[in-house]
Amino acid sequence: MSTDETIIEHKAFARIGLLGNPSDVYYGHTISFSLANFWASVRLQPSPDLVIKPHPVHDLVSFSSIGHLIKRLESEGYYGGVRLLMAICKVFYKYCSNNNIELKKGNFTLSYDTNIPRQTGLSGSSAIVCAALNCLLDFYKVRHLIKVEIRPDLILAAEKELGIVAGLQDRVAQVYGGLVDMDFSKECLDKLGHGKYTPMDISLLPPLYLVYAENPSDSGKVHSTVRKRWLDGDEFIISSMKEVAKIGVDGREVLLAQNHAELTKLMNRNFDLRRQMFGDEVLGSLNIKMIETARSVGAAAKFTGSGGAVVAFCPDGPEQVKLLEKVCREAGFIVQQALVVPPLLTDEDFKTLST
């Protein structure tokens, strides 16, 4: 966070779902980390009126031609970040009202920027919402009154306002930073009212690599058919999702033991189960090609989220990494080493934790 007089600015980072996703939507267990390669930032400046400022690129409404407009819509979609900022303002205000948290008088102008590639399953939308929530917490000076564990629910609620399909794990990673073990079991949610989130030492992670396409699929459509089948009691989906959740549970011990051979198996199994449940048509040929390209050199590979980007691990070391970079670039994919964000919680945040 930076404060210049009364200006408040926060960053929230992209995230990688390492193990157990997408079981966070199905009372499961995941391990995720915040990715320092990409981030969104939100700036709050006091002003006479409350203003949500459109981004000059992501909320473009002026075009050189109808062709430019169509090209823009096909590559970027219809929505920028303005609706996300509006939605978190609404959710934040209602939460404070419902919990008798008094908000001071005063208005502000919210603006944002982001370099998170669109539709890569790296949680670009929730990063904007998370950064905005942090600005609101500081502007109204209520950080100590809103528990850290509840904040991911507020971020998700803002996205649900807009019909965005997602789970909690991304928002937990973005609120906490670092590497986080997340238990979303029904028992846990019923007892605590939220998941059980346990930060882990980021030094437990081996070198990991991010692979993504410049023109990826829409990550917001991937959960749909599987969720309906799960709700309808489909035994294959229910048992497969339990196995995915167990990968998240087992992953904690594997990381603590730094058992890289087992980590390779878990990452690959995680994707294979997703593929069996969702099917190739839903996952998309480009996403599958990314996985197969990484695996062609013996790397472990799985989605970072719902598609559009892949996290890869090279258990055989630097020479295998060179091969990964070569085959991915030949296939037209971008490869970067995944940089891990250190834990983000402040002393004031820690005081709000339940445990």
Side-chain angles (χ1 to χ4, degrees):
M1 181 191 78
S2 67
T3 54
D4 175 13
E5 296 174 351
T6 51
I7 294 171
I8 298 165
E9 189 165 357
H10 277 280
K11 271 186 184 179
F13 294 87
R15 74 85 197 86
I16 284 180
L18 183 61
L19 293 168
N21 58 315
S23 74
D24 56 313
V25 196
Y26 305 92
Y27 299 125
H29 200 113
T30 67
I31 296 174
S32 303
F33 64 88
S34 273
L35 180 70
N37 305 55
F38 303 109
W39 62 87
S41 61
V42 173
R43 178 184 172 99
L44 183 155
Q45 186 164 10
S47 55
D49 296 315
L50 200 159
V51 179
I52 308 293
K53 198 171 176 185
H55 190 279
V57 174
H58 304 301
D59 297 292
L60 194 63
V61 290
S62 176
F63 306 91
S64 59
S65 67
I66 191 166
H68 179 207
L69 166 63
I70 303 312
K71 188 178 179 184
R72 166 76 187 191
L73 292 177
E74 286 176 347
S75 63
E76 301 281 334
Y78 284 91
Y79 302 116
V82 165
R83 64 182 187 143
L84 297 167
L85 299 180
M86 287 182 171
I88 190 59
C89 285
K90 177 183 174 184
V91 167
F92 171 80
Y93 178 83
K94 292 218 161 192
Y95 178 84
C96 291
S97 298
N98 293 339
N99 290 275
N100 300 314
I101 297 171
E102 193 173 338
L103 299 178
K104 68 171 190 177
K105 301 283 187 202
N107 287 324
F108 50 81
T109 295
L110 276 182
S111 57
Y112 77 98
D113 199 3
T114 180
N115 62 11
I116 302 174
R118 289 176 69 95
Q119 307 300 350
T120 48
L122 292 171
S123 296
S125 295
S126 59
I128 294 170
V129 179
C130 181
L133 175 60
N134 275 316
C135 287
L136 294 171
L137 292 173
D138 288 339
F139 176 74
Y140 287 107
K141 297 183 169 56
V142 293
R143 185 171 287 275
H144 62 296
L145 298 175
I146 299 180
K147 284 166 52 175
V148 167
E149 295 102 327
I150 295 298
R151 294 176 200 170
D153 293 87
L154 298 181
I155 296 165
L156 186 58
E159 293 174 280
K160 282 184 175 174
E161 283 271 324
L162 305 169
I164 295 171
V165 178
L168 274 168
Q169 73 150 350
D170 308 359
R171 291 92 202 139
V172 174
Q174 289 167 326
V175 167
Y176 280 70
L179 175 67
V180 189
D181 174 83
M182 311 175 198
D183 181 356
F184 299 103
S185 63
K186 193 166 190 310
E187 299 77 19
C188 208
L189 292 172
D190 288 346
K191 181 182 174 186
L192 301 174
H194 50 73
K196 184 180 179 187
Y197 311 133
T198 310
M200 297 178 69
D201 188 339
I202 61 173
S203 69
L204 295 170
L205 289 172
L208 296 167
Y209 293 84
L210 177 69
V211 181
Y212 65 99
E214 286 200 82
N215 298 299
S217 66
D218 183 346
S219 68
K221 295 172 184 170
V222 175
H223 293 310
S224 55
T225 55
V226 168
R227 180 142 190 90
K228 184 178 186 307
R229 288 166 66 191
W230 183 79
L231 290 167
D232 289 344
D234 184 310
E235 287 184 16
F236 171 70
I237 297 296
I238 288 170
S239 63
S240 297
M241 204 58 81
K242 281 180 179 171
E243 191 178 341
V244 173
K246 191 172 186 302
I247 286 171
V249 175
D250 294 345
R252 177 178 173 81
E253 298 310 314
V254 166
L255 287 173
L256 288 169
Q258 297 192 292
N259 184 341
H260 293 169
E262 194 59 30
L263 177 62
T264 301
K265 289 180 190 172
L266 290 179
M267 287 177 68
N268 282 331
R269 182 65 180 150
N270 201 150
F271 176 78
D272 294 343
L273 285 164
R274 178 190 279 272
R275 189 173 187 177
Q276 288 167 25
M277 287 187 286
F278 287 89
D280 288 7
E281 192 179 343
V282 174
L283 297 191
S285 58
L286 189 69
N287 287 322
I288 292 166
K289 186 183 176 187
M290 266 190 283
I291 294 284
E292 290 176 344
T293 302
R295 288 186 177 182
S296 72
V297 297
K302 64 177 291 297
F303 287 173
T304 61
S306 301
V310 162
V311 56
F313 170 50
C314 294
D316 297 337
E319 290 306 311
Q320 191 177 31
V321 172
K322 287 179 188 173
L323 288 174
L324 173 72
E325 290 172 340
K326 180 175 182 289
V327 295
C328 285
R329 284 177 185 144
E330 284 172 356
F333 302 130
I334 298 162
V335 185
Q336 296 183 7
Q337 183 164 356
L339 307 175
V340 187
V341 177
L344 296 172
L345 298 184
T346 65
D347 289 343
E348 192 173 11
D349 292 324
F350 275 114
K351 289 173 188 171
T352 75
L353 288 168
S354 301
T355 54

